[in-house]
């Protein structure tokens, strides 16, 4: 595999993944706005969205500009931008996962209601 082919595949795959992440983030933000969850969920959702926006708006743009230069034939030194991308990815995943937990999970709260699937949760 050549560098141009690898960079082309990278762009296609990450463009698709980033689009899916952005759409899911928008869905979560709408759910948070409509659902009025606890403050911790709002805070973690905000952290996740800010990290994702920085990852896509700053780091991905720099990576794209760099790959443009490499594809144009420039010989560039190694970049640390991928390390930052992975760090932001690692940071937004745990925050997003915690934000998606049901507010009453693990506290003996019936999450579904009378005679629903969650009836087994209430002691």
């Amino acid at each position: 595999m050549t560098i141009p082919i690898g960079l082309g595949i990278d762009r296609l795959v990450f463009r698709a993944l980033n689009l899916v992440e952005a759409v899911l983030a928008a869905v979560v933000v709408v759910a948070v706005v409509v659902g009025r969850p606890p403050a911790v969920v709002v805070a973690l959702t905000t952290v996740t969205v800010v990290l994702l926006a920085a990852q896509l708006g700053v780091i991905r743009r720099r990576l794209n500009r760099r790959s443009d230069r490499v594809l144009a034939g420039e010989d560039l030194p190694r970049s640390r931008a991928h390390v930052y991308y992975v760090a932001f990815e690692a940071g937004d995943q745990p925050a997003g996962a915690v934000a998606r937990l049901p507010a009453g999970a693990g506290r003996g709260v019936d999450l579904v209601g009378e005679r629903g699937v969650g009836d087994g949760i209430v002691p």
Side-chain angles (χ1 to χ4, degrees):
M1 176 177 299
T2 64
I3 289 178
I5 290 173
L7 287 173
I9 291 170
D10 173 66
R11 283 184 175 194
L12 291 173
V13 169
F14 280 99
R15 185 177 298 138
L17 290 173
N18 293 155
L19 177 63
V20 169
E21 281 183 308
V23 168
L24 289 175
V27 169
V28 170
V29 167
V30 168
V32 166
V33 169
V34 171
R36 293 189 245 160
V40 68
V41 173
V42 173
L44 289 170
T45 300
T46 302
V47 167
T48 301
V49 170
V50 167
L51 287 173
L52 181 62
Q55 183 182 19
L56 301 181
V58 176
I59 300 170
R60 277 298 296 163
R61 285 183 188 206
R62 288 183 181 169
L63 288 170
N64 285 339
R65 283 194 302 265
R66 178 177 169 70
S67 64
D68 287 342
R69 293 172 61 193
V70 170
L71 290 171
E74 280 189 58
D75 188 25
L76 300 171
R78 299 207 39 99
S79 169
R80 291 189 197 171
H82 288 89
V83 174
Y84 296 121
Y85 187 86
V86 171
F88 273 69
E89 190 70 27
D92 72 14
Q93 296 305 314
V98 173
R100 289 185 296 270
L101 288 175
R107 288 191 261 147
V109 176
D110 186 353
L111 299 176
V112 176
E114 303 277 335
R115 308 272 180 231
V117 177
D119 283 344
I121 297 174
V122 177

